[in-house]
């Protein structure tokens, strides 16, 4: 389908993955993994809080995990144009500190844009 970015929730935590397809990391490049990646980027952002406790992460994590946090917080996203998107994760536990941020840059979209590099 050519999905560039996928958001997930329900877990009471935050996790940003490297671009991934078929359980394989598919970065744009080692230096700039989110510039023209050849697979969708997945973000789990359900850290707004709840009456239950945090859902703890496993100690060991897969190679596609780029960043994770159990802080309560929220995600902000700014779409600048058809190629540039900026996201940051704000920690409420750390009094509004930005704990993660990422630019996602895609110069072309659709299934051909992310399957061509595999």
């Amino acid at each position: 389908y050519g999905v560039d970015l996928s958001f997930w929730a329900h877990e009471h935590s935050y996790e940003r993955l490297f671009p991934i397809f078929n359980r394989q990391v598919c970065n744009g490049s080692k230096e700039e993994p989110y510039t023209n990646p050849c697979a969708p980027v997945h973000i789990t952002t359900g850290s707004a809080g709840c009456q239950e406790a945090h859902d703890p992460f496993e100690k060991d994590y897969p190679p596609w995990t780029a960043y994770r946090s159990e802080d309560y917080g929220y995600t902000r996203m700014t779409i600048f144009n058809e190629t540039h998107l900026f996201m940051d994760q704000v920690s409420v536990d750390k009094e509004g500190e930005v704990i993660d941020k990422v630019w996602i840059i895609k110069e072309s979209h659709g299934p051909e844009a992310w399957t061509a590099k595999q």
Side-chain angles (χ1 to χ4, degrees):
Y1 295 98
V3 173
D4 294 327
L5 177 63
S6 183
F7 284 100
W8 306 92
H10 184 71
E11 292 298 320
H12 303 290
S13 58
Y14 169 81
E15 184 173 24
R16 173 174 48 85
L17 304 183
F18 288 116
I20 185 171
F21 177 77
N22 201 22
R23 300 177 63 90
Q24 297 294 316
V25 174
C26 194
N27 292 341
S29 70
K30 185 173 184 173
E31 298 77 25
E32 296 178 329
Y34 301 99
T35 299
N36 294 314
C38 55
V41 175
H42 297 266
I43 306 283
T44 301
T45 178
S47 62
C50 68
Q51 293 181 348
E52 297 90 27
H54 294 287
D55 294 331
F57 288 109
E58 297 289 326
K59 181 181 175 187
D60 298 320
Y61 52 88
W64 48 78
T65 293
Y67 182 84
R68 54 176 41 174
S69 172
E70 294 179 358
D71 288 5
Y72 286 127
Y74 55 93
T75 304
R76 298 183 293 200
M77 178 174 61
T78 305
I79 300 171
F80 285 88
N81 54 41
E82 67 182 29
T83 61
H84 287 68
L85 177 148
F86 179 77
M87 282 186 23
D88 57 0
Q89 179 69 14
V90 178
S91 170
V92 172
D93 292 349
K94 294 183 175 132
E95 299 180 5
E97 177 184 333
V98 173
I99 58 171
D100 188 42
K101 56 187 172 183
V102 64
W103 279 96
I104 299 174
I105 302 169
K106 286 282 291 189
E107 294 171 343
S108 61
H109 305 281
E112 300 81 20
W114 63 264
T115 57
K117 294 182 185 180
Q118 296 177 26

